[in-house]
């Protein structure tokens, strides 16, 4: 395995270990800088990187942008709904289960899946995250916080795309096994997050 791929995997593991389980309590939501920092919560970090990895592993190369774009669009629209008071019961539990979902998507990434179905799952999961963020953000700080949050989200998606490309290029013959291992680890992390809510 190439050094750059190992470093990327180690970085993700370090971020995952060093971050609290629930990303929706005890943090600021009123500034651009707080928005930049927030996606490094474990649930968001894993979900956003997974979207990038899945997109380059399951979609044609020229359409890999659609996974991150779908996530970002659904995140924004649902955050506006959340800020308007729309919510769901057991939202934090559902967010944790979205990490399990992304793990399952990575496990089957090498197998054919209708593109619209995969993008629909991404939109549904992103909507859960957006509802939670919209609900917790005061109206006075929404724009700055959202801008920072979206910027970091896009960067994490790009990191996932880079990781997925690294897996495909350096481990072509074993990419299915590696994606399956990452997906399994992600699903286990999601179950852990669910148990901590």
């Amino acid at each position: 395995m190439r050094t750059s791929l190992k470093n990327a995997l180690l970085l993700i593991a370090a971020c995952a270990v060093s971050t609290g389980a629930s990303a929706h309590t005890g943090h600021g939501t009123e500034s651009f800088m707080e928005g930049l920092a927030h996606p490094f919560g474990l649930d968001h970090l894993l979900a956003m990187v997974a979207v990038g990895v899945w997109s380059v592993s399951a979609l044609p190369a020229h359409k890999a942008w659609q996974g991150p774009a779908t996530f970002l669009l659904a995140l924004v629209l649902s955050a506006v709904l959340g800020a308007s008071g729309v919510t769901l019961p057991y939202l934090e539990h559902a967010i944790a289960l979205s990490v399990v979902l992304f793990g399952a998507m990575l496990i089957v990434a090498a197998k054919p899946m209708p593109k619209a179905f995969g993008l629909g799952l991404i939109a549904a999961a992103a909507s859960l995250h957006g509802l939670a963020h919209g609900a917790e953000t005061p109206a006075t700080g929404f724009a700055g916080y959202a801008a920072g949050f979206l910027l970091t989200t896009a960067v994490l998606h790009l990191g996932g795309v880079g990781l997925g490309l690294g897996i495909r290029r350096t481990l072509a013959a074993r990419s299915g096994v590696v994606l399956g291992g990452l997906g399994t680890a992600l699903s286990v992390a999601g179950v852990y997050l669910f148990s901590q809510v």
Side-chain angles (χ1 to χ4, degrees), residues 7-84:
N7 289 342
L9 292 171
L10 286 173
L11 175 63
I12 291 169
C15 289
V17 169
S18 66
T19 309
S22 179
H24 298 121
T25 58
H27 62 86
T29 59
E30 297 182 4
S31 73
F32 177 76
M33 292 305 293
E34 289 168 339
L36 283 176
H38 183 80
F40 290 104
L42 184 57
D43 55 351
H44 307 294
L45 174 70
L46 294 176
M48 292 168 196
V49 171
V51 167
V53 174
W54 180 86
S55 296
V56 297
S57 303
L59 297 175
H62 66 286
K63 295 187 177 181
W65 61 270
Q66 292 179 350
T70 297
F71 192 101
L72 288 166
L73 180 60
L75 185 70
V76 169
L77 294 176
S78 59
V80 171
L81 290 175
S84 301

Side-chain angles (χ1 to χ4, degrees), residues 99-188:
V99 176
V100 177
L101 169 68
F102 285 129
M105 289 175 70
L106 288 182
I107 291 170
V108 300
K111 298 180 173 120
M113 173 191 291
K115 180 185 83 166
F117 182 67
L119 293 176
L121 292 175
I122 287 173
S127 295
L128 297 171
H129 289 265
L131 283 175
H133 293 309
E136 71 189 1
T137 307
T140 56
F142 185 81
Y145 177 76
F149 189 91
L150 289 172
L151 179 58
T152 300
T153 297
V155 169
L156 289 173
H157 284 325
L158 288 175
V161 166
L163 178 60
L165 288 173
I167 290 169
R168 191 167 70 192
R169 288 178 183 158
T170 61
L171 302 167
R174 301 168 124 191
S175 62
V177 174
V178 174
L179 289 173
L182 283 175
T184 300
L186 202 65
S187 293
V188 169

